């Protein structure tokens, strides 16, 4: 398998987190429409919120730190740090571009 450039790996990881967030929001919105029609005890909502929060945190940690962890175990700590930094920086590049494109379309 061909080795991907570090900036592209960071981009893919940032894209993975963004897609997960979109999928989670769409799922949560669908679930909220269902909950309106089903009577549930009040204690269920905080439990569901905390479970969703923990699951989301775990998913995002796995997306962002999974590959860099493997790099560290292979002795490539500097490359792992670059991947993490680029994953964190990609949204700062992508969000203004996406918002500009959306504002042009609306």
């Amino acid at each position: 398998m061909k080795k991907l450039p570090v900036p592209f790996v960071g981009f893919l990881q940032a894209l993975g987190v963004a897609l997960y967030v979109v999928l989670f929001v769409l799922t949560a919105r669908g679930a909220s429409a269902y909950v309106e029609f089903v009577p549930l005890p009040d204690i269920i909502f905080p439990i569901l919120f905390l479970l969703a929060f923990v699951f989301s945190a775990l998913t995002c940690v796995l997306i962002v730190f999974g590959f860099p962890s493997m790099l560290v175990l292979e002795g490539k700590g500097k490359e792992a740090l670059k991947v993490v930094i680029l994953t964190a920086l990609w949204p700062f590049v992508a969000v203004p571009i996406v918002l500009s494109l959306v504002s042009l379309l609306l």
Side-chain angles (χ1 to χ4, degrees):
M1 183 172 151
K2 186 177 178 183
K3 184 178 175 184
L4 296 174
V6 172
F8 188 62
V9 172
F11 169 75
L12 290 177
Q13 290 185 174
L15 182 63
V17 171
L19 290 175
Y20 169 73
V21 168
V22 168
L23 181 64
F24 183 84
V25 168
L26 292 174
T27 304
R29 286 188 68 183
S32 69
Y34 172 75
V35 169
E36 289 179 15
F37 300 109
V38 177
L40 295 172
D42 289 340
I43 190 69
I44 295 295
F45 296 109
I47 292 171
L48 290 176
F49 171 77
L50 289 173
L51 285 172
F53 177 75
V54 170
F55 179 78
S56 291
L58 177 62
T59 302
C60 290
V61 164
L62 288 174
I63 292 171
V64 173
F65 294 111
F67 180 66
S69 302
M70 290 176 18
L71 290 175
V72 168
L73 292 175
E74 293 173 0
K76 301 176 183 176
K78 287 184 181 181
E79 189 175 346
L81 184 60
K82 287 179 188 177
V83 170
V84 171
I85 289 171
L86 287 169
T87 301
L89 291 178
W90 266 111
F92 290 106
V93 173
V95 168
I97 293 170
V98 170
L99 290 178
S100 299
L101 291 173
V102 168
S103 68
L104 290 174
L105 295 173
L106 296 178

